[in-house]
Amino acid sequence: MVLLHVLFEHAAGYALFAVREVEEISLLLPQVEESVLTIGKFHNVVKLAAFAPFKSAQSALENINAVSEGILHEDLRLLLETSMPAKKKKALLGVADAKIGAAILEELGYQCQTGGVVAEILRGIRLHFHALVKGLTAQSASKAQLGLGHSYSRAKVKFNVNRVDNMIIQSISLLDQLDKDINTFSMRVREWYGYHFPELIKIVSENYTYCQLAKFIGNRKELSEESLEGLEEIVMDSAKAQAILEASRSSMGMDISPLDLINIESFSSRVISLSEYRKGLQEYLRSKMSQVAPSLSALIGEVVGARLISHAGSLTNLAKYPASTVQILGAEKALFRALKTRGNTPKYGLIFHSTFIGRAAAKNKGRISRYLANKCTIASRIDCFSEVPTSVFGDKLREQVEERLAFYETGEPPRKNLDVMKEAVVEANEVVAEVKRKQEKKEKKKKKREKRQLEALAAAAEVENSVLETEENDIEPKKKKKKKQQELEAEAELEENGLEEEALPKKKRKLTVEADQEEEEEEKKKKKKKKKEKERARDSEED
């Protein structure tokens, strides 16, 4: 007879239940399934064989991680080896997860079963677990589940701070918004300042430069030869600067009040600051993309790569997409319109903004977009799942796209993908080894620094202790000296009075000394009083 045991993983520990001899077919009857809900009837089906509680929260987290990954932990191995029957052929173990069942079969040799009867029994155990295990209450079981759930989720969510794609999504969205806002505000400055100096719009076409000039010039009538150098610095062209100066002298614009000029200048300075912030944001995006998705940014550019990640939702989502989806990502409206009207589907979406499609001939645009989407998918997967991201694969994939473009134009055959990838793997391994070496050096330096700090703190503590000890030692002899002096004085007084010191005990000696001191003080007070009385008598006689 094969004995069925059921393994149940709980937040409190591992529990092994022995299923009593019941026909398997009868357990699947609906009446029996309903009996699982009542604890009294369920006690007749299962019996607790062994329970191994987790020693700590950290141990529970380690065990649950091992179970989720299908790895046999040492704690679980120990429980099964000690509690399962010795004859492995006659023992059958019911488990919830097939992965852990395969690991148990491989390492311990116990036959494992999942689904069917085991699922029903586990449902009952999960429902009545706190009643089946002695000393475990429903409240403590739920607390353990909640604590382990939080720590497990926290461990799963943990990621490398430098490889967060959320920052890329936010920064590219902000960059697009800034482009729209700067364009709108610049048009407002042009329109506003154009009433006073309309000729400047034709001379200067760039928004940022126009705003700088509007702020610098102010009132066009005040523009002279002296301000020519300042104009040249802004425009970076002496001919244009001269043209602005000549245009200001013969301008058809209306006169403007100082108050209006102040407002125009302040608004222009705001637009300039926004433009400068946009430049900084673009640099930040470039550095972030080189950390998070170096291969994708090397292949297609930082901005287009960031837009792809943003549209997909994350780098992981983009890595999951097939090349056909990446190709038309961003052209969903056109795709569904084409499907609805049975027209031609779009050939490209966001990847159209890359330089490759613009350089290709009209007949090859669809072909190159398909090829580029394929390479983008490979690059995003490499970036997403590699431990140390490098731009080596991105550079090699870019070379392949360049070769494909040349093949469409000249017919020169490109290199095989296998050869290119072999080269890339060799180079990437070298780069990764160098990066790891640098990281190890940094860690060593950090450890040395921490060691020095600890040693310095320990030395400072030792110095403080020694200073305190010396101070205490200095105070004690001073006290002793004072005591000795007092004793000597007392002895001298006793000798003067003709008394013998040895006859008196220590306590009496102290009392006598104190009495003498009090008498001396009283005599001094009396003398002072007499002096004062004499002085008063003299003063009264003189009056």
Side-chain angles (χ1 to χ4, degrees):
M1 183 70 188
V2 176
L3 293 169
L4 177 63
H5 287 75
V6 176
L7 176 69
F8 183 68
E9 305 96 4
H10 192 266
Y14 292 116
L16 191 69
F17 290 91
V19 181
R20 287 174 183 164
E21 294 176 17
V22 183
E23 286 183 9
E24 192 172 325
I25 299 159
S26 67
L27 280 168
L28 295 170
L29 288 169
Q31 293 90 344
V32 179
E33 285 180 7
E34 285 174 15
S35 72
V36 167
L37 300 171
T38 56
I39 184 66
K41 289 177 182 178
F42 191 65
H43 260 302
N44 299 327
V45 181
V46 294
K47 185 188 175 183
L48 183 67
F51 178 64
F54 296 129
K55 292 171 186 175
S56 62
Q58 186 63 36
S59 172
L61 183 61
E62 285 171 11
N63 278 278
I64 205 73
N65 280 327
V67 169
S68 65
E69 289 165 16
I71 300 163
L72 187 66
H73 198 270
E74 284 300 316
D75 295 350
L76 182 56
R77 183 199 289 274
L78 187 67
L79 175 74
L80 294 173
E81 283 177 350
T82 52
S83 304
M84 283 292 285
K87 293 178 182 178
K88 292 181 181 180
K89 288 180 181 178
K90 287 188 177 182
L92 183 65
L93 184 65
V95 289
D97 190 16
K99 280 185 191 174
I100 197 72
I104 290 164
L105 178 65
E106 190 182 335
E107 294 195 31
L108 299 176
Y110 290 110
Q111 288 294 323
C112 294
Q113 186 182 338
T114 53
V117 182
V118 174
E120 283 300 315
I121 292 164
L122 284 168
R123 186 166 70 91
I125 291 167
R126 195 174 295 110
L127 188 65
H128 306 296
F129 185 73
H130 60 276
L132 294 166
V133 178
K134 285 180 182 179
L136 186 72
T137 59
Q139 194 178 0
S140 60
S142 65
K143 273 186 181 177
Q145 284 174 333
L146 186 68
L148 183 59
H150 277 300
S151 55
Y152 180 72
S153 303
R154 215 175 289 121
K156 283 285 175 192
V157 168
K158 271 184 183 176
F159 43 71
N160 185 355
V161 178
N162 297 322
R163 295 188 68 183
V164 185
D165 51 8
N166 295 336
M167 303 304 159
I168 287 167
I169 294 164
Q170 295 300 328
S171 56
I172 193 67
S173 302
L174 182 57
L175 201 67
D176 292 339
Q177 189 64 46
L178 277 172
D179 285 335
K180 288 177 187 174
D181 291 347
I182 289 164
N183 194 33
T184 309
F185 295 154
S186 300
M187 293 307 293
R188 181 65 55 215
V189 172
R190 280 171 182 272
E191 196 176 332
W192 200 354
Y193 192 65
Y195 292 126
H196 177 62
F197 194 1
E199 290 82 8
L200 188 65
I201 296 166
K202 291 177 183 177
I203 298 165
V204 179
S205 57
E206 197 183 355
N207 290 332
Y208 179 66
T209 313
Y210 187 90
C211 291
Q212 279 184 313
L213 285 168
K215 188 184 175 184
F216 177 76
I217 294 165
N219 194 342
R220 69 167 197 278
K221 288 178 181 178
E222 293 173 6
L223 205 64
S224 61
E225 293 287 340
E226 292 172 4
S227 53
L228 196 64
E229 283 183 20
L231 288 171
E232 280 179 18
E233 279 179 19
I234 295 165
V235 181
M236 304 295 285
D237 187 0
S238 58
K240 266 189 182 179
Q242 193 64 42
I244 290 163
L245 189 64
E246 287 169 6
S248 68
R249 287 167 183 168
S250 60
S251 178
M252 298 292 289
M254 59 179 258
D255 290 338
I256 196 164
S257 67
L259 186 65
D260 294 334
L261 267 176
I262 289 163
N263 279 300
I264 290 166
E265 283 172 11
S266 65
F267 187 56
S268 299
S269 61
R270 288 288 175 92
V271 178
I272 290 160
S273 65
L274 271 177
S275 302
E276 284 167 358
Y277 172 67
R278 190 204 169 280
K279 286 175 186 174
L281 187 68
Q282 196 158 15
E283 284 298 318
Y284 164 73
L285 182 66
R286 190 173 284 115
S287 67
K288 206 73 187 166
M289 279 295 287
S290 64
Q291 287 176 351
V292 177
S295 295
L296 188 65
S297 56
L299 170 63
I300 206 169
E302 289 85 7
V303 176
V304 182
R307 284 210 175 95
L308 285 172
I309 291 167
S310 177
H311 201 83
S314 69
L315 182 61
T316 311
N317 287 355
L318 184 65
K320 288 175 185 175
Y321 285 161
S324 57
T325 307
V326 174
Q327 187 184 344
I328 56 161
L329 206 65
E332 288 85 3
K333 277 187 181 177
L335 173 68
F336 291 120
R337 188 171 60 244
L339 292 170
K340 193 177 180 181
T341 57
R342 294 184 182 180
N344 293 326
T345 54
K347 293 174 184 175
Y348 26 70
L350 289 167
I351 58 169
F352 177 75
H353 297 290
S354 70
T355 54
F356 298 112
I357 293 166
R359 282 157 56 194
K363 61 178 181 179
N364 295 325
K365 280 187 189 291
R367 294 166 78 186
I368 199 69
S369 69
R370 192 163 56 249
Y371 189 80
L372 182 61
N374 185 14
K375 297 300 173 193
C376 283
T377 309
I378 293 166
S380 63
R381 285 169 188 172
I382 289 165
D383 287 331
C384 185
F385 301 112
S386 60
E387 287 181 12
V388 182
T390 59
S391 61
V392 173
F393 289 100
D395 294 331
K396 291 291 177 185
L397 292 168
R398 189 180 179 85
E399 285 172 18
Q400 280 188 294
V401 179
E402 294 279 2
E403 285 171 12
R404 182 62 56 147
L405 266 175
F407 169 67
Y408 291 148
E409 287 171 10
T410 59
E412 187 185 337
R415 289 178 292 170
K416 284 185 178 181
N417 189 47
L418 186 68
D419 299 335
V420 175
M421 286 297 112
K422 277 180 180 175
E423 286 176 20
V425 167
V426 171
E427 285 182 30
N429 286 337
E430 288 174 5
V431 171
V432 168
E434 197 174 332
V435 168
K436 282 182 178 176
R437 208 179 299 119
K438 283 179 181 177
Q439 284 177 349
E440 283 173 5
K441 278 184 180 178
K442 278 183 181 178
E443 283 175 7
K444 281 179 182 176
K445 282 180 181 177
K446 197 179 179 182
K447 282 178 182 176
K448 279 182 181 177
R449 209 178 298 123
E450 285 173 358
K451 233 183 185 179
R452 283 172 193 164
Q453 285 174 354
L454 289 167
E455 284 172 2
L457 288 166
E462 282 177 9
V463 169
E464 283 178 8
N465 290 333
S466 62
V467 167
L468 288 167
E469 283 174 7
T470 50
E471 282 176 359
E472 284 172 4
N473 294 333
D474 291 339
I475 289 160
E476 282 176 4
K478 280 178 183 176
K479 285 180 179 178
K480 285 177 181 177
K481 280 179 183 177
K482 279 183 180 178
K483 280 182 182 179
K484 280 182 179 179
Q485 281 176 358
Q486 286 174 357
E487 285 173 6
L488 289 167
E489 284 172 5
E491 281 172 13
E493 283 174 5
L494 289 166
E495 282 173 6
E496 282 173 10
N497 295 329
L499 297 166
E500 289 181 1
E501 188 204 349
E502 289 176 7
L504 291 166
K506 279 185 180 179
K507 283 184 181 178
K508 285 184 179 179
R509 212 181 298 159
K510 278 184 183 178
L511 289 166
T512 53
V513 169
E514 284 172 4
D516 293 338
Q517 285 175 352
E518 284 174 4
E519 282 174 5
E520 282 177 4
E521 283 174 4
E522 282 175 6
E523 282 175 6
K524 282 177 183 177
K525 282 177 183 178
K526 283 176 184 178
K527 283 178 183 178
K528 280 180 183 177
K529 277 182 182 179
K530 282 178 182 178
K531 277 183 183 178
K532 281 179 182 178
E533 283 172 2
K534 282 179 182 178
E535 284 172 3
R536 281 174 190 167
R538 282 174 192 168
D539 292 337
S540 60
E541 280 174 8
E542 285 173 3
D543 293 335

